[in-house]
Amino acid sequence: MTGRDDHPWQGVLKSMGLVFGDIGTSPIYTLAVIFLLVEPTPSNIMGILSLLVWTLIILIMVEYAWLAMSLGKKGEGGTIVLRELLLPYIKSGTLVTIVSSMTIVGVALLVGDGVITPAISILSAVEGIVLIPGLETTAESTLIVIAAAIAIGLFSIQRSGTERVAWSFGPIAGTWFLALAVSGIIGILWAPAVLLAINPYYAIRFLLDGGWPAFFLLSAVILVATGGEALYADMGHLGRTPIIRAWYLVFFALVLNYLGQGAFLLTHPNAHFVLFEMIRSISPQIYVPFLILSILATIIASQAMISGLFSIVYQGITTRMLPMLKIDYMSAELRSQIYIGSVNWFLLFAVLAVMFQFQSSARLAAAYGLAVTGTMTITGIMLTSIFFMRKLGLLVFVGIGVTLVDIAFLIATTSKIPAGAYFALMITAIPLAIILVYRAGQNRIAYSFSPMDLPAFLVVYRDLYREVSRIRGTALFFARDIRKIPPYVALTMFTNNIVYEDNIIISIIIRDTPFGVKSGFKENLAPGLRSFEIELGYMEVVDIKKILRDADIREKAIFYGLEDIVTDNVVWKAYSVIKRLTPSFVQFYKLPVDKIHGVLTRVEM
């Protein structure tokens, strides 16, 4: 949405900063971690390099850049988007439940990955300090404190908005990828034979010769795709074209750098921090500037993940999957620039917990992979299903192949559960529990309440409107469906005899398309009773107050429903807590607080 009128290269630079930050910093730690697990022999190095290249091609280029991005008109992405695209084709209630369940798990897994990705990126960059002359004995605890301080600073500035510094993200990221490409080319000169690793033969031979140990090493190879699923989730900001253009440049920079690191390993098999040691071997003078650049790149990568999660959570709220959380709009020009405080501080707390729990990027790598491969597998299944429904034979075939690769990586990463992936599952369980409890509670509330059918409501309303003394001005009521009048409306009017001269029932309808806003009055329902409808795409961030003003609605009072939940059930008590801690409907849409009147209804659950 931004950058559409910019020069093409500006869109490419913005994509590098906003979309490819995570995957762009994976060269810092990927080979270093892998070769802690396997001996750096020439055959192993060639096989691993080939696996890295083809993982990027299959999981990122084919699954996301080609297949997934072809499904969004404006490049929007995420499992919620795939759910909205798939549901219109589904008639079976069971299949709807399965698709919704997959989406919920996908969102929860993305949160789990959103915690580990910034932690491993920042920590791995900071660890490069030990290669600076005189700082070789820097304690591990000191490195963790430095990484934690960077994380705290990053999450703390979210509240004030990153728009003022975001202009620098693209140029810094562009410089980083240029540095990766150039250093990779120089590294390849140590052993030009690594260029042969582009041939998938080496990957296949490594897996066949290595047996099950080689297969389970895929759980470390997946580090090359760090942030891949967040790449898709964050695609709505810039549009498809600049992201695709940027990806080709990013892909070649990554491949060149991995091949360069592989060549360095062939000639320096005892290297531990492979990228950093390669840079220091190329030129000790550029090492510190490169280290500073790498730390800046990891900060930008973490920012991209945070922004992507804000976007996904907002989609979850508007599609009624997640409870309404307090949203702050950080830009007057771009409503898509949002800040969700509860998500921000949860992520920071979890990132710090991960850092202090695992102490180093090598150990932290044991926690990474399960969440990302789970999300990728769900994405593969859903996009293949969409292609099948649309009768796109070739894309179905390709989608099946990609999904099988996703499943192979997922199976391999299950081996990490005892070593650290359990921590990712623990983090994932928190948003998953919130989503499940909230959805169950909302369904139970809907079942407990008995909305009035519109014809029955109008019969009582017309008699009341004639008989009672009406209050001057306009009152607003909100109903999800105008055909079903919520109990609080009847309670306000029929029980409390609060009837205004002009009463407007407003329906906010979330469409199955990502963008678009349409609003207007519908038919007059009865004397003094009108219907106003707002249709929104599920990714739209809108100003309801402005929409009402543009329609010349000048309300005197705004009524909305509140539930007083009475229960002894543990699950419903948890739901009650969620309801109390999250903003109400009118607070979420930032309607005028001096005009709001909550109508309380007691509910036994």
Side-chain angles (χ1 to χ4, degrees):
M1 297 191 305
T2 62
R4 194 150 299 169
D5 299 321
D6 292 338
H7 189 278
W9 285 108
Q10 290 181 339
V12 169
L13 273 179
K14 287 180 180 178
S15 297
M16 287 182 177
L18 294 175
V19 177
F20 295 105
D22 286 319
I23 199 168
T25 54
S26 58
I28 296 174
Y29 49 82
T30 299
L31 280 177
V33 169
I34 290 174
F35 285 103
L36 286 175
L37 305 173
V38 64
E39 186 181 355
T41 62
S43 60
N44 285 344
I45 290 172
M46 293 296 287
I48 292 296
L49 290 177
S50 187
L51 278 173
L52 295 180
V53 171
W54 283 94
T55 299
L56 285 173
I57 292 173
I58 296 171
L59 297 189
I60 307 300
M61 184 175 289
V62 176
E63 180 170 5
Y64 287 113
W66 177 25
L67 297 182
M69 286 197 72
S70 70
L71 294 173
K73 295 178 181 177
K74 298 186 181 180
E76 67 282 350
T79 51
I80 294 176
V81 172
L82 294 176
R83 171 182 177 269
E84 298 301 316
L85 291 172
L86 187 55
L87 285 182
Y89 295 101
I90 297 175
K91 307 302 179 186
S92 165
T94 302
L95 287 178
V96 169
T97 301
I98 292 173
V99 170
S100 296
S101 299
M102 290 172 61
T103 306
I104 291 168
V105 173
V107 170
L109 287 170
L110 187 60
V111 174
D113 182 57
V115 169
I116 296 174
T117 298
I120 193 172
S121 297
I122 295 173
L123 197 52
S124 62
V126 169
E127 287 169 346
I129 290 173
V130 300
L131 295 182
I132 298 175
L135 299 178
E136 295 92 346
T137 58
T138 303
E140 191 176 72
S141 58
T142 302
L143 298 176
I144 295 169
V145 169
I146 295 172
I150 292 172
I152 291 170
L154 174 64
F155 282 94
S156 296
I157 66 170
Q158 300 300 315
R159 181 65 183 84
S160 57
T162 57
E163 191 179 13
R164 285 171 293 181
V165 294
W167 62 270
S168 66
F169 288 180
I172 292 173
T175 304
W176 169 251
F177 285 115
L178 179 62
L180 289 180
V182 172
S183 62
I185 291 171
I186 296 172
I188 289 171
L189 298 178
W190 270 302
V194 294
L195 292 170
L196 296 173
I198 297 172
N199 188 335
Y201 162 78
Y202 290 95
I204 296 169
R205 191 180 74 177
F206 176 81
L207 291 173
L208 293 178
D209 292 348
W212 285 111
F215 173 78
F216 283 110
L217 196 65
L218 291 176
S219 64
V221 171
I222 194 61
L223 289 167
V224 75
T226 305
E229 76 303 333
L231 174 157
Y232 178 46
D234 206 30
M235 280 180 180
H237 295 294
L238 295 164
R240 184 175 188 271
T241 302
I243 292 174
I244 293 295
R245 288 173 177 168
W247 166 244
Y248 291 133
L249 297 175
V250 168
F251 172 74
F252 284 113
L254 293 175
V255 169
L256 286 171
N257 191 264
Y258 282 120
L259 292 177
Q261 289 189 54
F264 181 77
L265 264 174
L266 283 171
T267 54
H268 302 77
N270 294 322
H272 178 53
F273 298 105
V274 187
L275 175 61
F276 290 138
E277 291 183 40
M278 181 180 78
I279 296 297
R280 195 175 63 174
S281 295
I282 291 172
S283 173
Q285 289 74 29
I286 67 170
Y287 180 71
V288 172
F290 182 86
L291 178 62
I292 294 171
L293 179 62
S294 71
I295 293 173
L296 290 175
T298 59
I299 291 172
I300 292 171
S302 302
Q303 177 61 53
M305 174 62 81
I306 295 168
S307 299
L309 277 174
F310 285 167
S311 177
I312 289 293
V313 169
Y314 185 81
Q315 292 176 35
I317 292 170
T318 56
T319 53
R320 302 186 176 99
M321 181 182 298
L322 283 164
M324 289 184 169
L325 304 172
K326 186 177 184 294
I327 307 283
D328 291 309
Y329 306 108
M330 309 315 300
S331 170
E333 290 77 27
L334 293 173
R335 296 283 291 178
S336 61
Q337 298 295 313
I338 61 175
Y339 168 78
I340 307 176
S342 54
V343 174
N344 186 68
W345 299 120
F346 168 76
L347 287 175
L348 173 59
F349 175 79
V351 165
L352 294 178
V354 164
M355 285 181 176
F356 285 98
Q357 171 71 19
F358 290 93
Q359 304 282 308
S360 73
S361 61
R363 288 191 288 272
L364 188 51
Y368 183 83
L370 195 59
V372 63
T373 54
T375 306
M376 287 179 170
T377 301
I378 290 171
T379 298
I381 292 171
M382 293 178 77
L383 63 84
T384 303
S385 300
I386 293 169
F387 294 139
F388 177 77
M389 296 295 183
R390 293 181 178 180
K391 296 180 172 59
L392 301 173
L394 174 62
L395 295 183
V396 172
F397 177 77
V398 176
I400 291 172
V402 167
T403 304
L404 291 175
V405 174
D406 288 331
I407 292 171
F409 273 97
L410 178 61
I411 293 171
T413 52
T414 58
S415 64
K416 286 184 170 184
I417 292 176
Y422 68 88
F423 207 90
L425 292 178
M426 288 167 57
I427 296 168
T428 299
I430 296 173
L432 182 61
I434 291 172
I435 294 171
L436 293 176
V437 169
Y438 177 74
R439 284 172 62 89
Q442 290 293 90
N443 291 336
R444 184 62 180 266
I445 286 284
Y447 177 79
S448 300
F449 281 166
S450 299
M452 289 186 71
D453 291 332
L454 181 62
F457 175 83
L458 293 178
V459 170
V460 183
Y461 169 83
R462 289 191 179 97
D463 291 338
L464 187 69
Y465 192 79
R466 287 194 302 265
E467 295 170 2
V468 302
S469 297
R470 298 185 291 273
I471 303 170
R472 293 183 62 182
T474 299
L476 305 184
F477 301 86
F478 288 87
R480 190 172 295 181
D481 185 346
I482 189 61
R483 295 168 298 181
K484 300 288 184 180
I485 305 299
Y488 85 90
V489 180
L491 180 63
T492 302
M493 291 185 176
F494 304 159
T495 303
N496 299 327
N497 287 341
I498 299 175
V499 181
Y500 280 72
E501 289 180 343
D502 183 26
N503 303 278
I504 303 175
I505 298 178
I506 298 175
S507 299
I508 298 178
I509 300 170
I510 307 298
R511 293 302 184 194
D512 58 3
T513 53
F515 299 103
V517 180
K518 187 170 67 173
S519 62
F521 282 100
K522 299 302 179 181
E523 73 278 6
N524 288 339
L525 302 172
L529 184 64
R530 296 185 288 168
S531 169
F532 187 81
E533 196 171 271
I534 303 172
E535 297 184 13
L536 304 176
Y538 54 83
M539 288 185 72
E540 288 286 358
V541 181
V542 295
D543 187 342
I544 297 294
K545 184 178 177 180
K546 184 178 185 302
I547 292 174
L548 298 178
R549 295 296 172 266
D550 290 345
D552 199 29
I553 296 175
R554 299 289 187 271
E555 73 285 344
K556 187 175 181 180
I558 301 172
F559 294 91
Y560 71 101
L562 287 170
E563 299 88 22
D564 177 23
I565 299 173
V566 179
T567 182
D568 292 324
N569 185 290
V570 174
V571 174
W572 302 141
K573 282 184 177 180
Y575 171 70
S576 177
V577 170
I578 292 172
K579 292 286 284 184
R580 283 199 302 269
L581 294 178
T582 54
S584 66
F585 171 87
V586 291
Q587 291 170 321
F588 176 78
Y589 283 111
K590 300 190 181 300
L591 297 173
V593 294
D594 57 328
K595 299 177 181 180
I596 294 173
H597 301 279
V599 181
L600 194 65
T601 304
R602 190 178 182 87
V603 184
E604 293 190 5
M605 296 177 66

